Amino acid sequence: MNRLDGKVALVTGGSSGIGFAIAQRFVEEGAYVFITGRRQPELDKAKDEIGRNVTAVQGDVAVSADLDRLFHTISKEKGRIDVVVANSGLVDPQEFGQISEESFDLTFDVNARGALFTAQGALPQMTDGGSIVLVGSIAAYSGIEKYTTYSATKAAVRSYARTWTKELKDRGIRVNTLSPGPIDTPIMDSQAESKEGADAIRAAFASVIPLGRMGRPEEVAAAALFLASDESSFCAGMDLSVDGGMAQV
Ligand code: NAP
């Protein structure tokens, strides 16, 4: 079924992990997709793997000039945006008592500031009746050790969906948060010094998930497709968790 036939979608951080799976699924469902990320080689690889109906625009969501360039490219190539998935994000685990100002600023710049200015930058080109999907995290409402700043940025993202749902109602633009639990992506490796360390993080997460395993990016992409498409036409301001039950029971 082509649930996104003819739609134009932006997926930030579409070069890896969850964002890549979302971009790939959206194209399979008939969309034309713009993907972003800072690393050009990762973007080139993702573009090749997706294979069609995709434009990769290198850039940092925390840098206004990069976002301006992204929206200029979309305007020139397609002239509109139907779906925005603000997905770019990072985690920099630090124990409370030792959180550095640099880590706080970086995490808020990318996760909280980046999501806001991505969605706001898209607004002028957004089709009335479009969909904004903000990738949050169950960390927004769970206590996870060393995730002080990360969790706070995701709580901010959850809050955006509430405010924007009211502010965008006259345009019929729906805003929802999609909150993954632990999903097996490169973000897990980014939190450890070694492969053994990353394996230990994966095992620790898997052990507290009721379904007994980590999630797969494709499982989050299926939920993103639901929120992006008309199948969720009466869902607004909500939070959809895809977490194997971790934060639900
Ligand atoms: P990932 O595989 O590391 O992918 C992150 C993506 O974001 C990459 O494409 C990365 O590309 C991009 N990105 C990072 N910083 C960026 C920046 N400053 N500007 C533009 N793009 C940037 O991680 P993931 O697991 O798929 O995470 C995707 C989203 O899901 C994040 O928001 C994350 O917080 C959220 N999430 C993940 C999990 C999980 O367990 N995996 C759980 C809950 C929520 P570059 O590095 O090249 O910029």
Side-chain angles (χ1 to χ4, degrees):
M1 199 152 69
N2 282 350
R3 274 165 282 207
L4 295 178
D5 241 350
K7 302 281 188 197
V8 177
L10 164 63
V11 182
T12 64
S15 58
S16 172
I18 291 169
F20 173 73
I22 292 173
Q24 199 170 38
R25 183 71 194 270
F26 280 12
V27 168
E28 282 166 19
E29 295 283 342
Y32 191 97
V33 176
F34 289 82
I35 57 172
T36 72
R38 290 162 305 173
R39 292 165 299 163
Q40 188 68 51
E42 296 298 314
L43 278 172
D44 292 342
K45 196 164 151 259
K47 186 173 175 305
D48 280 354
E49 276 185 52
I50 294 169
R52 66 195 159 104
N53 294 336
V54 59
T55 297
V57 183
Q58 189 278 336
D60 187 331
V61 291
V63 175
S64 304
D66 287 5
L67 285 177
D68 289 347
R69 190 165 39 79
L70 166 68
F71 290 117
H72 182 68
T73 304
I74 299 175
S75 167
K76 241 182 23 202
E77 287 194 19
K78 294 288 174 188
R80 68 169 212 281
I81 304 172
D82 301 300
V83 177
V84 174
V85 182
N87 163 79
S88 284
L90 58 82
V91 56
D92 183 24
Q94 298 207 336
E95 199 172 321
F96 181 50
Q98 290 165 8
I99 298 169
S100 70
E101 293 181 6
E102 291 73 20
S103 174
F104 179 94
D105 289 346
L106 175 68
T107 311
F108 269 82
D109 278 354
V110 176
N111 296 4
R113 186 183 194 276
L116 189 157
F117 288 104
T118 296
Q120 183 165 280
L123 268 189
Q125 293 187 63
M126 269 204 87
T127 322
D128 288 357
S131 171
I132 299 176
V133 180
L134 305 171
V135 178
S137 167
I138 60 160
Y141 40 84
S142 313
I144 300 175
E145 286 167 15
K146 300 186 181 166
Y147 272 28
T148 296
T149 40
Y150 178 76
S151 300
T153 62
K154 295 302 188 178
V157 164
R158 172 67 189 100
S159 172
Y160 297 159
R162 293 192 165 104
T163 311
W164 298 348
T165 291
K166 291 210 170 168
E167 292 190 346
L168 297 177
K169 66 180 188 316
D170 293 342
R171 292 183 59 187
I173 297 174
R174 298 178 298 107
V175 188
N176 292 289
T177 312
L178 172 56
S179 291
I183 308 296
D184 198 351
T185 74
I187 211 170
M188 293 292 155
D189 304 302
S190 74
Q191 298 173 60
E193 306 274 303
S194 62
K195 185 182 173 312
E196 291 69 33
D199 288 347
I201 291 172
R202 285 181 164 90
F205 275 130
S207 72
V208 293
I209 298 172
L211 291 188
R213 63 171 176 85
M214 295 182 75
R216 297 185 296 273
E218 304 76 46
E219 294 175 309
V220 184
L225 173 63
F226 170 70
L227 292 176
S229 72
D230 291 343
E231 305 230 334
S232 60
S233 53
F234 202 49
C235 298
M238 70 175 281
D239 182 61
L240 176 56
S241 294
V242 181
D243 68 346
M246 181 173 164
Q248 316 307 315
V249 297

